[in-house]
Amino acid sequence: MSPRSPREISVLVPPDLAPLYPDDPSRIGPYLVLGRLGQGSSGTVYAAVDTASPSADDRLVAVKTLTSPELDSPDAHPALEQRLRALSNVDSRRVVVPLAFDGDANPPWLSMPYLAGERLSHYVTKRGGLGTGKLIALATGLAEGLSALHARGVAHGSLRPSEVLLESHGPHIMECAVAASAEHLRGSGATWLSPERFGGGPATPAADVFAWGAIVAFAGTGRLPFGPGEPEEIAERAAQGSFDLDGLPKGLRPVVGRSLDPDPERRPSLREVLGAVIAVWQSENSASENVEGTDASQATSSPDRDELALILEREWHAVEPPARVPEVVRLEGRMSNRRPTRTLFLAVGGLLALGLVGAGVWGLSQVSDSDQGEEPVSDAAEEEAGEEEPSAEEDPLTMVVRFDPAEQESPGSGPWVYTPVDRDDEPVRNQGVPSHSAWAEQWEEAGEPAEAVIAPDAEVLCAKFCAAPDHVFLDEEGRGTWELTGADFIGYLSWGPVVIVEVTFAEETEEDGEPREIVRITELFTD
């Protein structure tokens, strides 16, 4: 086998990595950008290569550009720099922390270890409430992560189930760089906001304890602790202390109930939270051991923190990430804003994937001190930007379609079958929440079935399909407001019922016969 060019490196990448958009950066700081991992209200996350790393399985990192509304004012950047510096010193066992950052860049960015797992919101939506073992492991991991943040003077401020990543070593708290303002959280985030935060108060440890209690209640029951409804209705119940913990393990109800107290002064400290949850675990462990005939005094002996962490991590070993695949990245030549040229390393791909891929955090990087200038967009991208868009009549970019999971031949990998639909009348509101099938029957087919691919980082706003039982998130026009990703929607198509959505296709036209790419999905529903 001929030696590899010094301008080529091998990298282990996710098998479903989404391509870059024409205006995406090709480099961020010292990192070479490969593709998109996700996009949300606070910025875009890219898969990138640390070219200084000597090992193929340590080269991949996640780099996020921060475009949060909270950073619109120049006065916010010194505070961001201070927060990122504090975050970089946080214990990383339960928190995704920065490896490197630049708060003065435009836009600011930070790099993080690449993690592969599943968001808690998606996990609970698919499977319902967690069993006692997993729930105690989750509650302990989240409390330890928040404690690590608070020890460095950082309050998360906007913790939600969608910002908790589950992988084979347990839960990890994400999205710590910017504490979203209450104004931007009052919509889909109302359930997780303490009354003082909903009223515009600052992020505090006590508000994080409230979010901990709401997340544990949701994870344990599969229901929203303050019930469904408009944000103001949810906030009013939270302010009255009107929550529902039915179905939560009895041992956890006292500490979760105290955490959801409307008065922040009456909420427990995280030290108290950890002590209470560990006591529940010891009680459960003791009962289980006694059933098997073990001496109770031995069963109730207190394990040390490291031993307990290992015991609780066992609960998450079933959450295994997909194996990454080796690819060769060519470094020579001028970089454009297109995805760098990548070649699948086929000769020993299977062996490398098995030998190099492990569970957990996928890599640490050493950051190069050299400055990288911004590269211009390639001529090809400029030419594409100048191409004339197809007319809406011939090739509409946005349409309403029906997705039926029963019609999907390859629900995990696609392409995915959709059918255009339409209706002559306006949906009737405030008549009760229909079933998925009853709602779908109100729409008439308006075209032939076709196939599309769904970008894993597509923007998704759901109304009913993603939510806990009896929960609907709608705006005034009957459009979904709960933020998810294309990857979440792809997962839904492997298990959920029929759904009516408005889809937006990428503007780039594919070759004849190739499926179009969906970049935005909004569920349409009624109540």
Side-chain angles (χ1 to χ4, degrees), residues 6 18 42 64 184 229 288 295 425 473:
S42 62
K64 182 170 186 176
H184 294 107
S288 174
D295 184 3
D425 60 336
F473 269 122

PDB file of all heavy atoms in Angstrom, residues 6 18 42 64 184 229 288 295 425 473:
ATOM      1  N   PRO A   6       1.414  13.477   3.157  1.00  0.00           N
ATOM      2  CA  PRO A   6       1.417  14.220   4.412  1.00  0.00           C
ATOM      3  C   PRO A   6       0.299  15.245   4.496  1.00  0.00           C
ATOM      4  O   PRO A   6       0.034  15.796   5.555  1.00  0.00           O
ATOM      5  CB  PRO A   6       2.794  14.903   4.409  1.00  0.00           C
ATOM      6  CG  PRO A   6       3.192  14.965   2.974  1.00  0.00           C
ATOM      7  CD  PRO A   6       2.629  13.717   2.362  1.00  0.00           C
ATOM      8  N   ALA A  18     -24.230  15.416   8.168  1.00  0.00           N
ATOM      9  CA  ALA A  18     -24.880  16.261   7.178  1.00  0.00           C
ATOM     10  C   ALA A  18     -23.865  17.173   6.500  1.00  0.00           C
ATOM     11  O   ALA A  18     -22.927  17.654   7.144  1.00  0.00           O
ATOM     12  CB  ALA A  18     -25.973  17.101   7.839  1.00  0.00           C
ATOM     13  N   SER A  42     -29.363  29.018  19.591  1.00  0.00           N
ATOM     14  CA  SER A  42     -28.144  29.636  20.100  1.00  0.00           C
ATOM     15  C   SER A  42     -26.961  29.500  19.158  1.00  0.00           C
ATOM     16  O   SER A  42     -25.883  30.013  19.448  1.00  0.00           O
ATOM     17  CB  SER A  42     -27.775  29.040  21.467  1.00  0.00           C
ATOM     18  OG  SER A  42     -27.523  27.657  21.358  1.00  0.00           O
ATOM     19  N   LYS A  64     -18.952  24.886  17.937  1.00  0.00           N
ATOM     20  CA  LYS A  64     -20.209  25.624  17.863  1.00  0.00           C
ATOM     21  C   LYS A  64     -19.941  27.105  17.664  1.00  0.00           C
ATOM     22  O   LYS A  64     -19.145  27.721  18.388  1.00  0.00           O
ATOM     23  CB  LYS A  64     -21.023  25.428  19.140  1.00  0.00           C
ATOM     24  CG  LYS A  64     -22.373  26.151  19.106  1.00  0.00           C
ATOM     25  CD  LYS A  64     -23.264  25.742  20.257  1.00  0.00           C
ATOM     26  CE  LYS A  64     -24.647  26.368  20.116  1.00  0.00           C
ATOM     27  NZ  LYS A  64     -25.566  25.917  21.156  1.00  0.00           N
ATOM     28  N   HIS A 184     -36.781  34.496  25.838  1.00  0.00           N
ATOM     29  CA  HIS A 184     -36.661  33.508  24.775  1.00  0.00           C
ATOM     30  C   HIS A 184     -37.012  32.097  25.239  1.00  0.00           C
ATOM     31  O   HIS A 184     -37.020  31.175  24.430  1.00  0.00           O
ATOM     32  CB  HIS A 184     -35.238  33.524  24.213  1.00  0.00           C
ATOM     33  CG  HIS A 184     -34.890  34.798  23.504  1.00  0.00           C
ATOM     34  ND1 HIS A 184     -34.031  35.732  24.043  1.00  0.00           N
ATOM     35  CD2 HIS A 184     -35.310  35.309  22.320  1.00  0.00           C
ATOM     36  CE1 HIS A 184     -33.929  36.760  23.212  1.00  0.00           C
ATOM     37  NE2 HIS A 184     -34.688  36.530  22.166  1.00  0.00           N
ATOM     38  N   GLY A 229     -50.566  23.093  28.003  1.00  0.00           N
ATOM     39  CA  GLY A 229     -51.246  24.373  27.913  1.00  0.00           C
ATOM     40  C   GLY A 229     -50.349  25.460  27.381  1.00  0.00           C
ATOM     41  O   GLY A 229     -49.196  25.229  27.017  1.00  0.00           O
ATOM     42  N   SER A 288     -33.806  -4.889  47.122  1.00  0.00           N
ATOM     43  CA  SER A 288     -33.498  -5.891  46.102  1.00  0.00           C
ATOM     44  C   SER A 288     -32.580  -6.962  46.654  1.00  0.00           C
ATOM     45  O   SER A 288     -32.766  -8.149  46.431  1.00  0.00           O
ATOM     46  CB  SER A 288     -32.853  -5.210  44.888  1.00  0.00           C
ATOM     47  OG  SER A 288     -32.431  -6.168  43.940  1.00  0.00           O
ATOM     48  N   ASP A 295     -27.444 -10.130  53.447  1.00  0.00           N
ATOM     49  CA  ASP A 295     -27.470  -9.454  54.736  1.00  0.00           C
ATOM     50  C   ASP A 295     -27.778  -7.974  54.542  1.00  0.00           C
ATOM     51  O   ASP A 295     -27.099  -7.273  53.795  1.00  0.00           O
ATOM     52  CB  ASP A 295     -26.103  -9.616  55.410  1.00  0.00           C
ATOM     53  CG  ASP A 295     -26.085  -9.015  56.815  1.00  0.00           C
ATOM     54  OD1 ASP A 295     -27.134  -8.531  57.264  1.00  0.00           O
ATOM     55  OD2 ASP A 295     -25.007  -9.038  57.441  1.00  0.00           O
ATOM     56  N   ASP A 425     -60.986  23.706   3.456  1.00  0.00           N
ATOM     57  CA  ASP A 425     -61.517  24.486   4.573  1.00  0.00           C
ATOM     58  C   ASP A 425     -60.408  24.778   5.578  1.00  0.00           C
ATOM     59  O   ASP A 425     -59.306  24.263   5.492  1.00  0.00           O
ATOM     60  CB  ASP A 425     -62.651  23.718   5.264  1.00  0.00           C
ATOM     61  CG  ASP A 425     -62.172  22.379   5.809  1.00  0.00           C
ATOM     62  OD1 ASP A 425     -61.155  21.855   5.290  1.00  0.00           O
ATOM     63  OD2 ASP A 425     -62.790  21.849   6.744  1.00  0.00           O
ATOM     64  N   PHE A 473     -48.148  21.568  21.626  1.00  0.00           N
ATOM     65  CA  PHE A 473     -47.527  22.883  21.568  1.00  0.00           C
ATOM     66  C   PHE A 473     -47.880  23.532  20.241  1.00  0.00           C
ATOM     67  O   PHE A 473     -47.390  23.128  19.187  1.00  0.00           O
ATOM     68  CB  PHE A 473     -45.999  22.785  21.702  1.00  0.00           C
ATOM     69  CG  PHE A 473     -45.514  22.880  23.108  1.00  0.00           C
ATOM     70  CD1 PHE A 473     -44.760  21.866  23.664  1.00  0.00           C
ATOM     71  CD2 PHE A 473     -45.817  23.988  23.882  1.00  0.00           C
ATOM     72  CE1 PHE A 473     -44.299  21.962  24.965  1.00  0.00           C
ATOM     73  CE2 PHE A 473     -45.364  24.095  25.174  1.00  0.00           C
ATOM     74  CZ  PHE A 473     -44.601  23.077  25.737  1.00  0.00           C
TER      75      PHE A 473
END
